């Protein structure tokens, strides 16, 4: 998709962090924007920061974990702006915990949002974008945690590996139809991801904070420090806009994290060589 101006973007997790930065960047590029988020007050505050763009930027409450909620938000975007061209399946959460204290509720909460949220976004918009024939692009937010398990055994790692996998597969399948797919794999970005529990639905039970003295607590503190020192979300958004225009599959914002990916692939290829030798 080479031209963004005049087109429409739909962004989940649009009330904060990377999603809000994407919304601003799209609006600045002359697009109409629908921000979707589970947190109504934060969404209203986010829209206030984009007031200069007038009625071309709107918001809708949406829980990406629920298929019907995403379908409703998609309908709100069609009603407001007509055809939608760019869909950013970006909403996501991170749960604290480690191998000893990760709960089933945490697994469900993270996978329902980070993985099923992407699936619901794809299901709600694929027939629409395929049908209107004006081209389009899906942007799925994964993470470097989707390429390297360095963050440890966690639903977050599982969800992000899955998002990388389905994005790669979808890119191949949608190419003949002129629909692009981009998978966003950032390292640490200065957002509120470390406070994900702020809008955790009651159905997943209360968020548990690990003992700061435990290994899981130490990992949470270290990640919070890295997020605080992370990249500005506007830099991530700028990279995504370029990727959409250039039809790029992968967006990496932290090339310094290459070593972890190389080490993983080297181990996989070494095991392949070993298999070939047997
Ligand atoms: N910040 C980082 O370091 C980092 C790194 C790699 C990937 N990511 C990914 O970036 C994406 C955006 O996160 P962020 O860092 O901007 O965090 P953030 O907490 O600032 O923003 C996430 C937004 O998603 C919304 N949200 C959460 N659950 C939702 C749901 N069920 N339905 C709808 N909206 C929901 C939140 O209300 C919030 O507005 C996530 O997928 C995250 O995993 C973040």
């Amino acid at each position: 998709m080479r031209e963004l101006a005049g087109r429409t973007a739909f962004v989940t997790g649009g009330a904060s962090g990377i999603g809000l930065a994407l919304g601003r960047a799209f609006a600045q590029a002359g697009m109409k924007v629908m921000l979707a988020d589970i947190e109504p007050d934060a969404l209203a505050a986010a829209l206030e920061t984009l007031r200069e763009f007038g009625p071309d930027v709107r918001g809708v409450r949406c829980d990406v974990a629920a298929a019907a909620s995403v379908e409703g938000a998609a309908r709100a975007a069609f009603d407001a702006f007509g055809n939608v061209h760019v869909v950013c399946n970006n909403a996501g959460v991170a749960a604290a915990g480690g191998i000893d204290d990760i709960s089933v509720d945490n697994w469900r909460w993270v996978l329902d949002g980070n993985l099923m949220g992407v699936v619901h976004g794809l299901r709600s918009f694929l027939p629409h974008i395929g049908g209107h024939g004006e081209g389009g692009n899906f942007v799925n937010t994964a993470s470097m945690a989707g390429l390297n398990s360095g963050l440890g055994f966690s639903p977050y790692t599982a969800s992000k590996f899955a998002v990388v996998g389905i994005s790669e597969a979808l890119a191949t399948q949608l190419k003949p139809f002129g629909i692009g797919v981009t998978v966003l794999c950032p390292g640490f970005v200065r957002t509120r991801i470390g406070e994900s529990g702020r809008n955790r639905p009651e159905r997943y039970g209360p968020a548990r904070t690990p003992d700061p003295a435990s290994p899981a607590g130490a990992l949470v503190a270290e990640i919070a420090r890295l997020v605080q020192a992370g990249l500005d979300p506007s830099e991530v958004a700028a990279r995504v806009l370029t990727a959409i225009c250039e039809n790029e599959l992968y967006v990496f914002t932290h090339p310094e994290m290459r070593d972890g990916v190389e080490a993983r692939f080297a181990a996989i290829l070494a095991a392949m060589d070993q298999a070939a030798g047997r």
Side-chain angles (χ1 to χ4, degrees):
M1 249 185 72
R2 299 214 69 86
E3 265 301 315
L4 297 180
R7 303 290 181 101
T8 296
F10 177 91
V11 183
T12 67
S16 176
I18 295 171
L20 177 53
L22 284 169
R24 171 169 285 279
F26 289 139
Q28 283 168 338
M31 296 183 80
K32 302 179 186 89
V33 181
M34 182 64 84
L35 299 180
D37 204 282
I38 197 171
E39 204 180 347
D41 294 349
L43 183 58
L47 289 170
E48 194 57 33
T49 69
L50 300 175
R51 214 174 159 182
E52 69 203 82
F53 302 102
D56 281 352
V57 179
R58 301 193 197 176
V60 59
R61 190 187 174 274
C62 166
D63 178 357
V64 298
S69 183
V70 182
E71 283 161 18
R75 270 196 307 276
F78 306 148
D79 291 347
F81 300 127
N83 290 346
V84 173
H85 307 88
V86 173
V87 174
C88 297
N89 294 308
N90 165 77
V93 293
I99 191 162
D100 297 324
D101 67 357
I102 201 85
S103 68
V104 170
D105 278 343
N106 276 355
W107 274 88
R108 286 180 45 242
W109 175 47
V110 175
L111 290 178
D112 281 356
N114 295 13
L115 172 56
M116 293 313 294
V118 173
V119 173
H120 295 146
L122 296 173
R123 290 192 66 253
S124 296
F125 285 96
L126 255 174
H128 169 79
I129 293 182
H132 67 50
E134 296 174 359
N137 199 295
F138 287 95
V139 179
N140 299 327
T141 302
S143 166
M144 284 305 291
L147 291 155
N148 173 352
S149 57
L151 275 186
F153 170 84
S154 70
Y156 192 81
T157 302
S159 69
K160 298 304 186 181
F161 264 72
V163 171
V164 171
I166 57 180
S167 302
E168 289 173 345
L170 196 67
T172 307
Q173 285 188 264
L174 292 184
K175 198 173 175 183
F177 304 101
I179 301 171
V181 177
T182 298
V183 61
L184 171 61
C185 299
F188 295 102
V189 185
R190 206 160 52 248
T191 71
R192 296 187 68 197
I193 191 76
E195 304 155 55
S196 292
R198 67 191 184 276
N199 49 33
R200 174 177 168 133
E202 273 179 23
R203 63 183 182 276
Y204 299 112
R208 285 190 298 166
T209 312
D211 177 355
S214 69
L219 182 62
V220 167
E222 174 61 3
I223 290 173
R225 190 188 66 73
L226 292 166
V227 166
Q228 267 319 302
L231 205 60
D232 192 278
S234 63
E235 292 184 47
V236 178
R239 284 285 295 108
V240 170
L241 265 70
T242 304
I244 294 170
C245 294
E246 300 297 328
N247 198 15
E248 293 169 358
L249 172 57
Y250 300 104
V251 172
F252 296 120
T253 54
H254 292 68
E256 68 275 19
M257 294 174 98
R258 178 191 179 106
D259 288 358
V261 178
E262 255 175 4
R264 173 167 175 254
F265 285 125
I268 291 170
L269 293 175
M272 287 279 185
D273 290 343
Q274 203 178 33
R278 281 188 181 150

